[in-house]
Amino acid sequence: MIDVTTCTTLAEASAHAPVWEEMPADGASGVFTSPAWCLAAWRFFPDLGSPRLLVANSAESGPLGILPLTAGANGLTWAGSPLGDEHDVRLRPESPHAGPAVARLVREIVSRSPSTASVLLTDVRPAGVLVNFAPNRPGTPAPVLHLREPDPAWGSLACIPGWSRGRRRELRRLRRACERSGPLTMTRITEPTHLHDAIPEFVAARLAAWRTRGRFDELPVMDRQPRFPEFLATAASGLARTGRCLLAQLLYLDRPIAQALYFRLGSADLLYMSTFDPEFAGYCPSHQLLAEAAAAAIQEGVSLIEMGRGDEPYKFDLGASPRHLREVLAPG
């Protein structure tokens, strides 16, 4: 028999962190349903709602599956929503009870909801397990970029499939022009403590760049929250402890002129957030960094960059392929 335990406080949810971490979810959903991400979201953004961590258990096998949700003013949503890009149920690997555990969690969602209406869970991984156990429909676009190997002619610029020979030639010219006055180098911050210290400066640089470009009000509201830098630093450093987060930086004379925060998803990287120094915009520093970060990732077995939610044209200009997350309905 499978029953469900519901944790409704940060302390209760934190106590499940060890077994929670051992239950994976595929791809980016494994990041945004992780203890590192969800516990930080509940801690720094209590106004989003209170924890509803559903844990499916069996008397014989113990914990089988976990569904991290938040109960807010509009009912149940994923923990940390709208900060996360995609989600899914977390399951004990290779458990013969995985299917029944998911089905039991789906039934439990509505009974734990503050309202009596059906519960809509958005941004669900399209090939994840949850979509097999509840009605679902296409939701938010989330394109993916299939990387190519570097080559002798173009080096790291060959990694981005959407760039024409003309575009690669222009990027090479711009880089050489910039390097006439100083070297460009890429570095990646992966050590948890260093990453924790670097994230607030990264967020501040991103906000400053959007202000300089006169587009600050276009940023998502959550990105502008005073506690967002501390939240992201805590979540990112927690993920870095298991090798799942890195901050790539393109340096000009040791000054970051482009930065990108990636989450490592096995053989894929999710590009979560990036920025560049507007003073160097004419050299396309974000594209220079993207190419170098892609080449480094390929050396580590990565073949895909997930571009995150949204169908912004620049993603398809890079050669990204369309993909849609799902909307899953737990009927009342």
Side-chain angles (χ1 to χ4, degrees), residues 99-125:
V102 177
R104 182 70 180 83
L105 285 167
V106 170
R107 292 198 304 271
E108 192 72 15
I109 291 173
V110 173
S111 68
R112 300 295 179 181
S113 174
S115 70
T116 58
S118 299
V119 178
L120 180 67
L121 295 177
T122 60
D123 302 327
V124 178
R125 190 164 180 85

Side-chain angles (χ1 to χ4, degrees), residues 50-64:
S50 56
R52 291 295 185 273
L53 185 72
L54 307 185
V55 185
N57 305 275
S58 76
E60 302 81 13
S61 305
L64 301 172

